[in-house]
Amino acid sequence: MDNIEIWQSILAQVQLTVSPAIFATWFKSTGILSIENGEATIAVPNVLSKECLEQKYRKQIIGYLREIDGSVREVFFRVMQIVPVKPQKNKLSGGAPGNGQLGFDEFKFNKETNLNPKYNFDRFIVGPHNELAHAASRATAEKPGDVYNPLFIYGGVGLGKTHLLQAIGNEVAAKFPGKKIRYVPTEKLTTEIINAIRGGTIEALRSKYLDTALFIIDDIQFISGKDKTQDEFFYIFNTLYNKNLQIVLSSDRPPKAITELSDRLRSRFEGGMIADISLPDFETRMAILKEKCQQLEISFSDEILSVIAQTIQHNVRELEGALTKIAAHTKFKNLTPTMELCQEVLSSVNPKKIINPKKIIQETANFYDSKEKDILSDSRKKEIVKPRQVIMYLLRSELNASFPSIGRKMGNKDHTTVMHAYKKISNQIKDDQILQEEINILKQKIYNS
Ligand code: ADP
Ligand code: MG
């Protein structure tokens, strides 16, 4: 494996952990200049990239390098123009096989629409966990503005929301070449709106979005608590909606569970179609792995794939990451993957997640936007009692802690209070779908953090 191949396989892994925009901005036109005496030198196109990679990605890059070459201890970045790395034959980059084009797929994302052609319906595996969201997305792409408006898709991290949203965009772009499409992550939209308000350029911003035939906003939960952004977004939303232009949103939770969201926006979000994506079952995870193998032009036995699918259950991005890693290792060592290698790689990407009471308390407090100190107090306010009871429930259900010990952790509450909370939440989950969703999302957050 030469330096180019090593870098290709590292970039392929980086791609799985950062957004296409970040990848194109910071990792494009980089390459390995040398690896000598445990020191790797990476070429970067400019000072900005140098600073960013040094500060944010140095550790990650050393980690990846070390997996391939155990002698690497340090990495340096040097500003130097080089020929960008080309895709390797076995396509660890995930490129469309044999298209003969240079560069990673991510380089091809459309600057204006922000769409990455890699995320299309053909590459999206449908299973019981995403059937509804997929069907609604298809129908929306078929007749934008006509069937479900807005379309609101929600689900946990790494479960395919962005993929599905982008697939709608790509499908509409292919079917209706004239239609204006915009995909924007909520953080970016928020920054744009705040800058426009400050700079007095709100009209320009509005004209950028107001005639969009398909407006896709990813991770809308980040709009929580941002009042000015919400006001402006409400205006854009209404204008588009009234013109029968299509709006598609994603979120890590249903509209009801987004805190600090204005009632008028919430009711808009609830006014169309809401579809969730839950966790893929084993068969679907296998199908996803097989699809990824095809993209990477590798063939692994079902035995190997099933070990991966059994180990990684909560996050498709991690599932994909594990496969890419095993592929990179086997390529490097010129091996067909063995069960041992597979297990070795899996234990490094999927170290046994240790969860503890602290994590449960922190994540739950965050989720419900309340302070730990209030939760541990004696306050009987409704917005405090709920997270408190949920924490007690989770401490019991996930850690099997005893009622008295939970009571002590929760600010010296009596064990009967804990028992009551546990029973109450256990019963409520049975017919309160929202609570059920909230607890699912919370568990996902706790196990993924
Ligand atoms: P989210 O936006 O929900 O965090 P992403 O859409 O970014 O998740 O998905 C994470 C990765 O998993 C992406 O590379 C995506 O292509 C892949 N993925 C998720 N679900 C599927 C699926 N059903 N079929 C194929 N690939 C999937
Ligand atoms: Mg996403």
Side-chain angles (χ1 to χ4, degrees):
M1 205 177 195
D2 62 19
N3 285 347
I4 292 185
E5 286 175 321
I6 293 178
W7 197 237
Q8 282 169 334
S9 93
I10 290 176
L11 289 183
Q13 294 179 59
V14 171
Q15 270 188 327
L16 296 167
T17 66
V18 303
S19 73
I22 292 203
F23 187 82
T25 313
W26 304 120
F27 292 91
K28 197 179 169 183
S29 311
T30 55
I32 295 178
L33 286 174
S34 64
I35 302 181
E36 274 166 14
N37 305 326
E39 292 178 351
T41 309
I42 311 293
V44 293
N46 53 51
V47 181
L48 261 171
S49 300
K50 180 171 187 289
E51 274 176 16
C52 173
L53 293 185
E54 260 166 8
Q55 282 165 20
K56 289 205 183 139
Y57 297 100
R58 192 181 135 268
K59 276 203 186 133
Q60 195 178 343
I61 292 173
I62 295 184
Y64 289 143
L65 278 166
R66 243 185 230 156
E67 275 172 16
I68 295 174
D69 179 344
S71 73
V72 174
R73 288 184 321 277
E74 195 42 273
V75 58
F76 296 101
F77 299 90
R78 189 187 301 164
V79 178
M80 187 184 263
Q81 301 301 328
I82 55 154
V83 181
V85 164
K86 294 175 187 172
Q88 59 196 152
K89 278 221 183 65
N90 78 345
K91 295 290 192 315
L92 285 180
S93 62
N99 63 5
Q101 282 178 305
L102 299 184
F104 287 87
D105 266 2
E106 264 64 6
F107 293 169
K108 290 189 277 161
F109 84 98
N110 181 313
K111 281 221 173 76
E112 192 175 323
T113 59
N114 238 334
L115 291 173
N116 181 338
K118 170 177 141 176
Y119 293 128
N120 55 40
F121 282 123
D122 288 346
R123 288 182 174 184
F124 191 80
I125 303 294
V126 184
H129 74 298
N130 61 16
E131 220 169 359
L132 178 65
H134 172 261
S137 299
R138 280 272 192 196
T140 303
E142 206 60 43
K143 291 183 171 176
D146 227 22
V147 263
Y148 305 123
N149 210 9
L151 170 62
F152 190 104
I153 292 177
Y154 73 92
V157 198
L159 293 179
K161 300 183 296 297
T162 297
H163 188 139
L164 211 41
L165 260 55
Q166 290 248 340
I168 298 174
N170 283 315
E171 185 79 6
V172 171
K175 271 214 179 89
F176 311 96
K179 283 199 193 293
K180 183 168 157 187
I181 304 166
R182 299 268 185 205
Y183 164 93
V184 50
T186 300
E187 294 106 311
K188 181 158 177 253
L189 184 67
T190 304
T191 315
E192 281 185 342
I193 292 178
I194 299 293
N195 287 344
I197 295 175
R198 281 203 196 119
T201 53
I202 205 78
E203 285 309 320
L205 182 79
R206 285 179 180 176
S207 67
K208 177 171 168 189
Y209 289 123
L210 284 187
D211 58 344
T212 316
L214 171 60
F215 191 29
I216 307 171
I217 307 100
D218 208 351
D219 288 318
I220 194 68
Q221 76 273 8
F222 291 128
I223 208 168
S224 153
K226 298 181 178 126
D227 297 345
K228 288 204 177 112
T229 306
Q230 289 188 19
D231 288 347
E232 185 54 33
F233 184 60
F234 183 74
Y235 177 83
I236 297 175
F237 187 107
N238 268 347
T239 313
L240 296 178
Y241 182 83
N242 290 334
K243 289 196 221 164
N244 285 335
L245 300 173
Q246 180 69 47
I247 301 147
V248 179
L249 304 146
S250 85
S251 161
D252 70 348
R253 60 192 80 188
K256 271 206 174 55
I258 303 179
T259 55
E260 294 188 59
L261 178 68
S262 70
D263 287 342
R264 54 183 194 168
L265 265 184
R266 192 186 317 276
S267 77
R268 285 293 185 283
F269 293 173
E270 285 172 342
M273 168 76 171
I274 302 184
D276 75 317
I277 302 185
S278 57
L279 295 177
D281 59 18
F282 176 75
E283 278 73 35
T284 313
R285 298 201 296 279
M286 283 295 278
I288 292 174
L289 285 173
K290 288 188 175 160
E291 162 66 26
K292 303 290 166 192
C293 280
Q294 258 192 3
Q295 286 173 33
L296 299 172
E297 292 182 351
I298 48 174
S299 67
F300 284 179
S301 67
D302 277 6
E303 202 190 359
I304 294 283
L305 294 183
S306 73
V307 172
I308 307 175
Q310 263 154 13
T311 316
I312 299 181
Q313 305 179 351
H314 298 277
N315 185 325
V316 178
R317 186 176 296 122
E318 285 181 4
L319 195 66
E320 220 179 280
L323 183 76
T324 313
K325 259 197 177 152
I326 295 170
H329 276 248
T330 39
K331 168 114 207 304
F332 171 51
K333 293 174 187 157
N334 244 341
L335 302 164
T336 44
T338 59
M339 207 46 102
E340 290 74 47
L341 173 82
C342 189
Q343 254 139 12
E344 190 188 311
V345 173
L346 281 172
S347 64
S348 76
V349 290
N350 194 45
K352 267 239 154 303
K353 296 256 162 78
I354 303 165
I355 65 157
N356 52 35
K358 205 169 151 206
K359 212 175 239 174
I360 292 182
I361 296 174
Q362 272 172 353
E363 288 291 338
T364 312
N366 262 345
F367 184 78
Y368 289 110
D369 235 351
S370 33
K371 297 203 176 76
E372 276 177 48
K373 149 171 132 296
D374 295 337
I375 290 179
L376 302 184
S377 75
D378 290 327
S379 162
R380 291 185 177 274
K381 277 195 202 142
K382 205 172 134 224
E383 63 271 23
I384 298 296
V385 171
K386 182 174 175 189
R388 183 186 295 142
Q389 293 187 328
V390 169
I391 292 175
M392 291 175 170
Y393 168 81
L394 287 171
L395 288 172
R396 177 75 180 177
S397 71
E398 301 310 295
L399 295 177
N400 210 9
S402 73
F403 293 125
S405 79
I406 296 175
R408 281 194 297 277
K409 283 217 166 58
M410 297 300 290
N412 282 324
K413 307 277 184 300
D414 193 75
H415 76 278
T416 54
T417 310
V418 183
M419 270 166 75
H420 168 75
Y422 178 73
K423 271 202 195 127
K424 186 175 158 205
I425 300 288
S426 309
N427 282 329
Q428 218 173 319
I429 284 181
K430 288 182 199 140
D431 31 47
D432 182 343
Q433 216 195 335
I434 299 280
L435 182 68
Q436 203 179 42
E437 305 280 4
E438 287 177 2
I439 294 203
N440 278 342
I441 294 167
L442 258 171
K443 280 192 201 164
Q444 229 225 354
K445 283 185 183 291
I446 291 163
Y447 285 101
N448 272 315
S449 68

